[in-house]
Every structure is written in structure tokens, then in C-alpha cells.
Amino acid sequence: MRRLPLTLLTASLLLATGAANATTTTTIPAAAVKTAERLRDQALHDNTAYQVVESLTTEIGPRLAGSPADQRARDWAVAKFKALGFDKVYTEPVTFPLWQRRSESGAIVAPFPQPLVLTALGYSPATPKGGLTAQVVKFDSLATLKAADPAGIEGKIVYVDYQMHRQKDGHDYGMGSAVRVAGPVIAAEKGAAGYLLRSAGTDAHQRIAHTGVTGFRDPAKAIPAAALSNPDADQLDRVLAYGKPVTVKLALDCGIVGEYTGANVIGEITGRKHPDQVVAIGGHLDSWDPGTGAIDDGAGVAIAMAAAKLIHDLPQRPDRTIRVVAFANEEMGLWGGRAYAEKHAKEVRQFQLGTESDFGAGPIWRMSASVKPQAHDAIMQIAKVLAPIGVAYDAKRLGGGGSDLSQMHAKGMAALTLTQDGTHYFDWHHTSNDTLDKIDPKELAQNVAAYAAFSYMAAEADGDFGSAPGAFKGDGAED
Amino acid sequence: MRRLPLTLLTASLLLATGAANATTTTTIPAAAVKTAERLRDQALHDNTAYQVVESLTTEIGPRLAGSPADQRARDWAVAKFKALGFDKVYTEPVTFPLWQRRSESGAIVAPFPQPLVLTALGYSPATPKGGLTAQVVKFDSLATLKAADPAGIEGKIVYVDYQMHRQKDGHDYGMGSAVRVAGPVIAAEKGAAGYLLRSAGTDAHQRIAHTGVTGFRDPAKAIPAAALSNPDADQLDRVLAYGKPVTVKLALDCGIVGEYTGANVIGEITGRKHPDQVVAIGGHLDSWDPGTGAIDDGAGVAIAMAAAKLIHDLPQRPDRTIRVVAFANEEMGLWGGRAYAEKHAKEVRQFQLGTESDFGAGPIWRMSASVKPQAHDAIMQIAKVLAPIGVAYDAKRLGGGGSDLSQMHAKGMAALTLTQDGTHYFDWHHTSNDTLDKIDPKELAQNVAAYAAFSYMAAEADGDFGSAPGAFKGDGAED
């Protein structure tokens, strides 16, 4: 996951204000609701999703966008869709800058020489041969960095010390990711030689650094940037507290080496009545390289594949198509999601409803929706089916569609958000610790239950959810 | 910590069988007991130990025996003893083989290529240039490896998959350390090309490997040996479960490069009446290199220093000397402890009582003793003073004196063991995670309370605890 779902509480909320503009009311036939309830209950005892994420993380492991494992992961996804019996399996190309990580290390040079556990950030350039050695200047927040005089920054390594804490909705990542994405750009603009942050992670006692993308868009203006593990940030804080100048050496061998064309991998359960109308679900296939991408986002791919597989196994196909997208290179800037939205923008009316799973494998506890007023009843029907598995509908929040599918929502696709319990997500997110053992098979199955039930209902609905070009601009879902 | 305290329940237990052979009974004067109670209560509100371990881990950080940080740590210890006001500060040389770790990496090569998180073990030689690539052969236990036909091992990488679990007394480390110490030697004897174990650690979900020493004594017979993190061992197990041949590559750049002379650093609070008679306490100054040696064993050094400092601050010196030893190179084979015992063997009768702290920074919950019958009453007096801070005396167990001081006990020194709560000790032991944040200042202070109180009482006792050449051979404390 790169970005949190939209939480624009100030936006106008059409659902809450009734269906004044609706001409017809969308509902889900009683038979479809019953089938959805069966799918939901069946999913709780189905371990397909766990088998899928186990297969992906074991057979492919880490799959950094553009790495040799990227190709292996695509081959895996095509083969897995086919093995699960999807009606149609295909890929769509996605082109992006190819960033490579070759090696990384760091150390306090003075006054107390010792190594530091750190990891280079996405799009960070390499340090010069022999490393970058410079004095550290610390900021407690992004705001103080923004306000700082460049004179105190020039030629130094800027260190921003923002500490994330655990929350169910993971909201500290709003600031944590800003420190990682925007911080390096601001530091570079002020003449910094390098950038360090306290990892955007909630594992306060683990000597494991959290990688992630920076906001560097112009390689000529980028500076070496890395994240310290939380205990290493504590240590740097203690060393700085002695009040002497602190010198750090960064040795990062990484950088953009060209362009790469990967692909979104797509599998479909073809609709019986309206094959060209789709319910879009998915996750992203790429992962950061230190872990095996289990919670980010093997789980999302597995949840969507397993939900569609349950629908596939019904006696007959649903009215509309269930489309599962395993997106390319979400991690380094929603490349797969943006390519997908550009390619399919003109078909936006054919997207009945969509949402992506990209916040780990914890149980879903909240549903929110960005749909048009005519879909109010249908949303309430979906909410009623999901309530028994612990999902509460929050009518005051918008749905954003998830990370990559946020881009299709921005084009006008009606979208849900199914919010997972992210209490521990940022313990492991973007680290070597993102491994299969962090997934509870029962919690994963609860996710599948929600995705299977809502997808089926949306596919069987009489009427639509309001998708249209630019339909959700008022919600902050700007293109 | 390298070895667990002796738990030879089958040994004859003199304390429990009365004082038939004693000619005089050792007791602690009432005034000394009162002072010990005051020291105990005062220690609970004293943060000297935390300040000491913070200073060591921040200013020196990792201090692998023989590294440049080894010299800095000795200088630090001398300066710290002096700053705390110890009456006498000196060093005694300790010579040992110099083992260096330069770099390490590993990967599954086939059938599912991906990196592995691992760490080289102490005394492991380097792999050949280009690394060692070989098929993995797995054993579930040391016993099955011992029983295995060399034909199935020759030229392969032996992998032993023993999983430690958390316990208060850490007893799984008995087997965990055997798999690490003896396993590589057995594998080498059977012709293995390399050795891997599941880390001897209880952090089942952390992608952090646990280093530690092997039993290699003859470099000519040693093979490259490394520990996988627990999640990496899980992953290797999953890959092996596909039933195809699994090839792993190890690239370890490490090995013995010569000999090094470090030193035990010793600080004393000189006894008023019997300056040549000593109560010996301490910890070890060296640490493994991935962490900063906070729980292993900065805590032990700090507990002993702070306990002696409290006694130093009394209006007058105790009858006997309090000697704090910060031992050299405990980690790679009790080099400091063995050198100390060899040097001081003939003075063993002058060692009133001794014990070392080397099991982390958790609270002490149990006391056991290896003393002669005449000291029964004195031990009961000590136990009574420690009981209010949660220390239960276990008359059925022996005291071993701790890691390095076990060697002096083997020469005949009467010894206590003050057992700490080690529930989480093996989560962090010998890893990068051995950092200051794992220490609770209040729990550390409880340790100081126990060490200050017992040391003072032993130093003030009327009579001895039975130290004499070879006095504890019957307890299994063989020289």
C-alpha cells in the first residue's frame, strides 16, 4: 500500500443527503442476496486465498517492479488465473522507470563510530564512490524542515524524526509517508547532501528499516535518501543529544537505470448477461524487495482471486463480469493503476463498482462507498450481508477504491472501500518482515467472504452505482 | 551469555543435607543485614546501572572481541570505573584467536530463487570466492544429524531445523546452542560443505538472524556455517516441502586472521579489614557485532558496576573487597573467564563468593547457591533480604557463578546464581536487536538491588562460604 484511502470528511456526501437526483433505484434481487450470503459463509471455510499467497510468496518471493522476479511473478499470475479456471486471462503493458537497489549501508562516523541499520528509498540515487559523509541536521517534523533556513541544511544530511504509532486505521501513515515522499524533495531543494528519516513504521523495537518510494520525479534533483530502523533512529537521537557534531556516512548503490515494461495481469469470470460490464477487484502484484510481499500485497491479489474463484464455482455465471486485476508497480507510484485508468477511462460507465485490497491481511471492519444516490438501497443490501462478519457500514465516509483503483475512481468509477484492521500493518510494511507468517488464514478468509459477497451482489444488481466520466469529482476524486 | 547455569539436579546437594562437616557457622552480623536492606531499597530508585549501559551502548555500540571497538570499550570501562570512584582500576591481558566478519549473504538458487536473511557464526571460515553453492539436506534435530550416514551429507549444506520457544528460564537454549556449537562440527566430520541452522532464537516472526559461536577448534576442519532467521527457516522448509532438490548459495567473508590480546577490566572497592579477600561480581564487556550488546552483556557490566558503586557510597568500606570484572571475549569461548581463572586459581580461597550477570536485564526471580554447609545460615540470611524484591531461594538447585565466573567456580570458588527472567532474552540474544530499548530501567534496578545486597552481606560475613581448591568438584563444577 502506498496511500491511505480518501478520508475527505468535508466533501459533500451524496448518500447521506438522499436520492434526489436519482431516476431509478438500484436493488439487488433477493435470490442474489441469498447466493451472496452462501458465498460469504462458504468463504470463511475456504483456504484458496491462503494457498494463493503461500504460492506467490514461496515460489516467487520478493518481486520488485522491473526485477527478474517481476517477470516470474507475471508468469505465475497468468498460470494461477488459468489454474483457478478463470474464463479469460490477459495482460496489459505498463511502462515505468527501472529503479534498482544493489547495496546499502550506513554508519555513524563521529563522535561514536558504529554501523546503522538503514535502507535506501525508491528513486534514491547512489551516493558517490566511497560514500557520502556529512554532518547530520535533525528536524522533529516535516513542518520544521519546510520552515528551515537553507543555510543550516546545505551540504548536510537532513534527518527527520517522526515516530508513527499503531492504530487500527493506520492514520499515522499519512504523516509517515509524507516524511518519506515529500521530505527528501524539500531537503534537496534546500541544498541537503542526503536525507534520512526514522522509518515510517510502528515496530518501535525492531532493527528493521522500512523502505518506500520518495517523491523524486527529476533524477537530476534527487539526493541519496534512506530510512533508519526505529532503534537506530533512537540511537542517532541519543548520539545527537551529546551536543557534539554528528557525522554519518551513507553508502547507497542504487538508482534509475532505464525504463522497463511490465504488465497488469488480468483474469475474468465472464458475465452471463452483460459481459462488458465489470465489477473490478484486485491487488498489486509487485512488492518491495526486502520482504516476500505477503501482506503488501500478495494478500490483496489472493483475496481477489479467491473471491472470484468462489463466484466461478457457482452453477452459473453472474450477470456481469468479475474482473481481477493484479497491478504492476504500485509501489513506486501507482504505475499499474495509472496505466489501467488511462487505458480504460472511456469505458468508465461499464465499471459497475470497484475496489482493491491493499492494506494487509487483517479482518475488514468497515465499509464505505462513493456511489450515486440511486445505489443507496443496493449499498444497504451489501452492508447487511457483510454485517454478520464484522463489517460496519460507515455512511459518513467516502469509498476510494483502494490504491491502484483510486485512479479508475478518479475517472468516474463508483467505488467501495473495505477497510482492514491495520493495527500491525505498519510493523511489517515495506520491510524484510513482510512474510507469510504475518497472515492469519482465518482473517484472510474473512476478507474473501466480504469480496465474494459484495462482488457478486454488484454483478447481479438491477441498476448501476453511478459510474460516469468524472462522476466523483465532488468527492475529491479528481483526475 | 554463552552457557546456561548448571542445573545438575542429580548432584549431591550439601546444603540440603545439613552442616555435618562444618566446624564453624558463617553468619552475617545484624548491622550488615540492615545496611544490605537499605542498599537494596536504595538501588530500586537508583538509575546508575541504566546510565552505565546507556553510555556503553551509545558511545561504543557493538564491540566484537578483537575489533577496534574492543579497545574503545576497554578504555571506556577504565574511565567509567574511575568516574564512579572505584578504589582500584586495572586490566589483565587476555589472548585469543581474532575472528572477523566482513560480509555475509545467502540465497535460494533453485527451484525458487530469492535471498535469505542469515548471519555467519563465530569461527566460521569464509566461503570460496564466488560463494558456496550446494544442495541442502535437512535434519529435524541434532540427534538425526548425529545418526545420519555421511553418504547423504558429503558435499551438501546441512540444515538443522530446531525451533526454540520462549521460557522464563530459557531452557530451550540448551538444545539451541548445541545445534549451533556442536552441529557444524558434526556436519564437517561427515563431509558437509556448509552448515545452516534455524536461529537459536525465540523471535519466531522476526527476519533477524542470531549469531553465536561454533565448536570449531581446528580451523583446518571448519566449514562455512550460518544461522537463518526464523521466517527464513520457515521459507526454506516450505521450499523443501515441494520435494525438489533445493540449492542454496552462501557467501560468507569471515574467518580467523591471527591472534589478539585484549583484557579483562577490573574495578575494586577495597575491603577495610581484609582487602585481599574478594566478593567477585561482573559481566562481560565484549558483545556480538550486529547489536549494541545491551542485554548481552552491557546490562551485566552495568548491574555489577552500579551495585559496587552503591557500596562505595556507604560511610565506610565493607570488610572485604568488592571486585567487579568486565570480562573480555566471553562470546567466542569464555576467553576472559578462562584466563581469569587460570591466573587466579591459586588465590581461590580468597574468593569469598562470586557470581556474574549474563542473562539479560529481566528481573531476578530465583537464587541458588553452591557453597559449603557452614554457609547455610548466611545463605538463608541473604535469601531473606532478597525475598521482598521477588527473589525466591531454591535450595534444590546449585549455583554456577554465571558464564565467565563459572571458570573460577570450577577452581573452587563458592558461587551463587541469581536467575533473571529470560522470557524474551532469546528474542534479541546475539542479534541486531540487542539494543538499549530492550532494557526496562526498573527491572535493571531490581538486579542492582540483589547484587548490592548480596555482595555487601558476603563481604561483611563472619566466616566464609567454603571456597577452596577443587571444593565443588562433586557439583559438576570440574576444572
Side-chain angles (χ1 to χ4, degrees), chain B residues 326-400:
Chain B
F327 288 97
N329 198 354
E330 186 273 348
E331 292 295 3
M332 279 189 270
L334 298 180
W335 291 94
R338 288 190 285 134
Y340 188 84
E342 285 306 317
K343 185 176 172 71
H344 298 283
K346 289 185 180 162
E347 310 148 28
V348 69
R349 286 183 193 278
Q350 295 172 22
F351 283 76
Q352 173 79 342
L353 188 62
T355 194
E356 181 177 355
S357 172
D358 185 18
F359 193 51
I364 296 168
W365 59 281
R366 186 173 69 192
M367 179 178 105
S368 54
S370 288
V371 299
K372 289 297 172 187
Q374 69 267 28
H376 177 260
D377 288 359
I379 289 293
M380 295 312 293
Q381 286 179 291
I382 292 171
K384 201 172 164 192
V385 173
L386 301 196
I389 56 170
V391 182
Y393 174 52
D394 186 342
K396 296 208 177 94
R397 301 182 70 88
L398 298 174

Side-chain angles (χ1 to χ4, degrees), chain A residues 5-9 11-16 351-355 367-376 379 393-402 405-406 408-410 412-418 454 464-468 471-478:
Chain A
L6 294 168
T7 55
L8 302 167
L9 295 172
S12 67
L13 194 57
L14 296 174
L15 262 180
F351 283 75
Q352 172 80 341
L353 188 62
T355 193
M367 179 178 105
S368 53
S370 288
V371 298
K372 289 296 171 188
Q374 69 267 27
H376 176 260
I379 289 293
Y393 173 53
D394 187 342
K396 297 209 176 91
R397 301 182 70 88
L398 298 174
L405 281 174
S406 70
M408 202 62 210
H409 178 51
M413 179 188 76
L416 287 188
T417 287
L418 294 168
F454 109 74
D464 65 32
F465 291 76
S467 297
F472 299 95
K473 285 199 170 174
D475 295 357
E478 311 294 341

Side-chain angles (χ1 to χ4, degrees), chain A residues 208-475:
Chain A
I208 287 182
H210 295 240
T211 190
V213 78
T214 61
F216 292 134
R217 289 297 170 261
D218 179 356
K221 292 181 182 167
I223 56 173
L228 294 169
S229 86
N230 271 292
D232 287 82
D234 293 343
Q235 182 80 329
L236 184 54
D237 288 347
R238 274 189 295 269
V239 173
L240 285 161
Y242 280 75
K244 302 171 188 172
V246 175
T247 307
V248 159
K249 177 178 175 177
L250 302 180
L252 312 179
D253 185 11
C254 55
I256 295 171
V257 296
E259 206 173 65
Y260 181 90
T261 298
N264 295 326
V265 184
I266 301 155
E268 294 184 357
I269 308 300
T270 308
R272 194 166 46 96
K273 289 188 185 168
H274 312 293
D276 58 333
Q277 294 180 21
V278 302
V279 176
I281 56 178
H284 64 84
L285 190 57
D286 68 308
S287 79
W288 282 103
D289 45 336
T292 63
I295 59 158
D296 187 14
D297 183 29
V301 170
I303 289 162
M305 280 187 174
K309 164 68 172 163
L310 282 170
I311 295 169
H312 162 277
D313 290 347
L314 290 171
Q316 66 175 14
R317 294 285 180 264
D319 286 356
R320 296 179 185 78
T321 289
I322 309 292
R323 180 178 294 172
V324 174
V325 188
F327 287 98
N329 197 354
E330 185 273 350
E331 292 296 3
M332 280 190 269
L334 299 179
W335 291 94
R338 289 189 285 134
Y340 187 85
E342 286 306 318
K343 185 175 173 69
H344 298 282
K346 289 185 181 161
E347 311 149 27
V348 69
R349 285 184 194 278
Q350 294 174 20
F351 283 75
Q352 172 80 341
L353 188 62
T355 193
E356 180 177 354
S357 172
D358 186 18
F359 193 50
I364 296 168
W365 58 282
R366 187 173 68 193
M367 179 178 105
S368 53
S370 288
V371 298
K372 289 296 171 188
Q374 69 267 27
H376 176 260
D377 289 358
I379 289 293
M380 295 312 294
Q381 286 179 289
I382 291 172
K384 203 173 164 191
V385 172
L386 300 195
I389 57 169
V391 181
Y393 173 53
D394 187 342
K396 297 209 176 91
R397 301 182 70 88
L398 298 174
S403 42
D404 300 280
L405 281 174
S406 70
Q407 302 302 298
M408 202 62 210
H409 178 51
K411 299 291 185 193
M413 179 188 76
L416 287 188
T417 287
L418 294 168
T419 308
Q420 294 162 292
D421 185 333
T423 306
H424 289 283
Y425 184 66
F426 292 107
D427 289 359
W428 311 311
H429 176 255
H430 294 188
T431 73
S432 59
N433 255 338
D434 180 359
T435 46
L436 184 64
D437 55 299
K438 310 310 184 300
I439 295 181
D440 178 315
K442 284 189 182 171
E443 293 181 353
L444 192 70
Q446 187 262 13
N447 278 269
V448 177
Y451 273 79
F454 109 74
S455 298
Y456 185 77
M457 285 189 279
E460 289 277 308
D462 284 336
D464 65 32
F465 291 76
S467 297
F472 299 95
K473 285 199 170 174
D475 295 357

Side-chain angles (χ1 to χ4, degrees), chain B residues 125-430:
Chain B
T127 50
K129 277 211 169 179
L132 164 68
T133 302
Q135 194 181 329
V136 170
V137 53
K138 173 179 164 175
F139 297 91
D140 287 327
S141 69
L142 202 56
T144 54
L145 171 62
K146 280 180 188 165
D149 184 344
I153 289 174
E154 212 164 330
K156 296 196 173 128
I157 295 173
V158 162
Y159 160 51
V160 180
D161 183 23
Y162 170 74
Q163 168 82 63
M164 281 178 64
H165 297 284
R166 289 185 184 123
Q167 284 119 359
K168 194 173 182 181
D169 69 356
H171 66 258
D172 271 7
Y173 190 58
M175 183 53 74
S177 62
V179 169
R180 192 194 66 224
V181 173
V185 179
I186 297 165
E189 281 167 359
K190 290 179 188 270
Y195 185 83
L196 283 173
L197 74 151
R198 177 187 286 272
S199 276
T202 51
D203 53 337
H205 300 291
Q206 298 302 330
R207 206 95 181 271
I208 287 181
H210 295 239
T211 190
V213 77
T214 61
F216 292 134
R217 290 296 170 261
D218 180 355
K221 293 181 182 167
I223 56 174
L228 294 168
S229 87
N230 271 292
D232 287 82
D234 293 343
Q235 183 80 330
L236 184 54
D237 289 347
R238 274 190 294 270
V239 173
L240 285 162
Y242 280 75
K244 302 172 188 173
V246 175
T247 306
V248 158
K249 178 177 174 178
L250 301 180
L252 311 179
D253 185 11
C254 55
I256 295 171
V257 296
E259 207 172 65
Y260 181 90
T261 298
N264 294 326
V265 184
I266 300 156
E268 294 184 356
I269 308 299
T270 308
R272 194 166 47 94
K273 289 188 185 165
H274 311 293
D276 58 334
Q277 293 181 22
V278 303
V279 176
I281 57 177
H284 64 84
L285 190 57
D286 69 307
S287 79
W288 281 105
D289 45 334
T292 63
I295 60 158
D296 187 15
D297 184 32
V301 170
I303 289 162
M305 279 186 173
K309 164 68 173 165
L310 282 169
I311 295 170
H312 162 276
D313 291 347
L314 290 171
Q316 66 175 16
R317 293 286 180 265
D319 286 357
R320 295 179 185 80
T321 289
I322 309 293
R323 180 178 292 172
V324 175
V325 188
F327 288 97
N329 198 354
E330 186 273 348
E331 292 295 3
M332 279 189 270
L334 298 180
W335 291 94
R338 288 190 285 134
Y340 188 84
E342 285 306 317
K343 185 176 172 71
H344 298 283
K346 289 185 180 162
E347 310 148 28
V348 69
R349 286 183 193 278
Q350 295 172 22
F351 283 76
Q352 173 79 342
L353 188 62
T355 194
E356 181 177 355
S357 172
D358 185 18
F359 193 51
I364 296 168
W365 59 281
R366 186 173 69 192
M367 179 178 105
S368 54
S370 288
V371 299
K372 289 297 172 187
Q374 69 267 28
H376 177 260
D377 288 359
I379 289 293
M380 295 312 293
Q381 286 179 291
I382 292 171
K384 201 172 164 192
V385 173
L386 301 196
I389 56 170
V391 182
Y393 174 52
D394 186 342
K396 296 208 177 94
R397 301 182 70 88
L398 298 174
S403 41
D404 300 281
L405 281 174
S406 70
Q407 303 302 297
M408 203 61 209
H409 179 51
K411 299 291 185 191
M413 180 187 77
L416 288 188
T417 289
L418 294 168
T419 309
Q420 294 163 291
D421 185 333
T423 306
H424 289 283
Y425 184 64
F426 292 108
D427 289 358
W428 311 312
H429 177 253
H430 294 188

Side-chain angles (χ1 to χ4, degrees), chain A residues 54 57-59 61-62 72 112-114 205-208 235 238-239 242 290-291 432-433 435-438, chain B residues 54 57-59 61-62 72 112-114 205-208 235 238-239 242 290-291 432-433 435-438:
Chain A
E54 179 172 15
T57 58
T58 304
E59 296 163 29
R72 292 200 296 271
F112 306 134
Q114 56 192 285
H205 300 290
Q206 298 302 330
R207 207 94 181 272
I208 287 182
Q235 182 80 329
R238 274 189 295 269
V239 173
Y242 280 75
S432 59
N433 255 338
T435 46
L436 184 64
D437 55 299
K438 310 310 184 300
Chain B
E54 180 171 13
T57 57
T58 305
E59 296 163 28
R72 292 199 296 271
F112 307 134
Q114 56 192 286
H205 300 291
Q206 298 302 330
R207 206 95 181 271
I208 287 181
Q235 183 80 330
R238 274 190 294 270
V239 173
Y242 280 75
S432 59
N433 255 338
T435 46
L436 184 64
D437 55 299
K438 310 309 184 300

